Amino acid sequence: MTARTGGDGSAARTSRGSGAGGAAAPSRLVVVGDVTTDVVAVLAAPLAFGSDTPGTIRTLPGGQGANTAAWLAWLGRRVTLVGAVGDDDAGRDRLRELTAAGVDCAVRRCPGVPTGVVLVLSQARDRTMVSQRGANLCLDGDDVVDVLTTTTDAGHLHLSGYPLLDAPSRA
């Protein structure tokens, strides 16, 4: 979800704005989807149920919608993310990272509900994900309608798949 960095740690962005001759900048993209914290465990050996398995563990910003929006911003596109996070430290961290990456966040904060978390177990060419959708289930069709009716420069709507999988966010 964060933009790539250069070798010195500085943000490495490209601009894909207006072309030669003063052509208008491409229209805004509206992305609808999940915002999560990803806990990624790269296993050094097969998972040993009932015992310890060595590996490397990292916590990263994630979520299909958030990742798509961050990469579009990194490419220099104007992008608005519609989603939901908990009113917790994880939600505040994800929104801060997205904003720093250049994403306009139209993200609902849901009190009393945790920000989504995905535990990713990865080994060789396989991965398994354990998901807690959390506040992502609070996403509502009205959230999307509100953004589309107030964002006059929107030219494309990207709907990630996860909001369609669960009845609470399907609308």
Side-chain angles (χ1 to χ4, degrees):
M1 177 169 73
T2 58
R4 282 197 243 177
T5 58
D8 62 354
S10 62
R13 293 185 187 220
T14 59
S15 177
R16 308 253 173 144
S18 61
S27 58
R28 176 175 299 279
L29 295 107
V30 175
V31 175
V32 179
D34 287 358
V35 180
T36 67
T37 298
D38 289 350
V39 179
V40 180
V42 178
L43 308 178
L47 186 61
F49 286 97
S51 187
D52 293 346
T53 302
T56 303
I57 301 172
R58 296 184 304 156
T59 301
L60 302 165
Q64 187 180 29
N67 288 341
T68 299
W71 279 107
L72 288 167
W74 183 81
L75 290 170
R77 299 300 305 265
R78 293 177 293 142
V79 60
T80 298
L81 173 64
V82 182
V85 297
D87 189 17
D88 54 12
D89 288 342
R92 285 185 284 281
D93 289 346
R94 299 300 76 85
L95 292 179
R96 189 172 24 259
E97 292 156 349
L98 284 161
T99 301
V103 175
D104 178 25
C105 294
V107 176
R108 180 200 305 217
R109 293 182 188 191
C110 305
V113 181
T115 297
V117 178
V118 176
L119 171 62
V120 181
L121 302 175
S122 176
Q123 182 185 13
R125 293 187 173 121
D126 262 337
R127 71 168 167 78
T128 298
M129 297 192 301
V130 180
S131 300
Q132 173 184 301
R133 301 221 349 107
N136 291 297
L137 295 175
C138 297
L139 181 63
D140 186 288
D142 289 340
D143 297 326
V144 179
V145 171
D146 289 348
V147 168
L148 292 178
T149 57
T150 59
T151 306
T152 59
D153 61 343
H156 177 84
L157 174 66
H158 175 86
L159 176 61
S160 61
Y162 285 105
L164 299 174
L165 296 177
D166 293 302
S169 60
R170 190 171 298 134

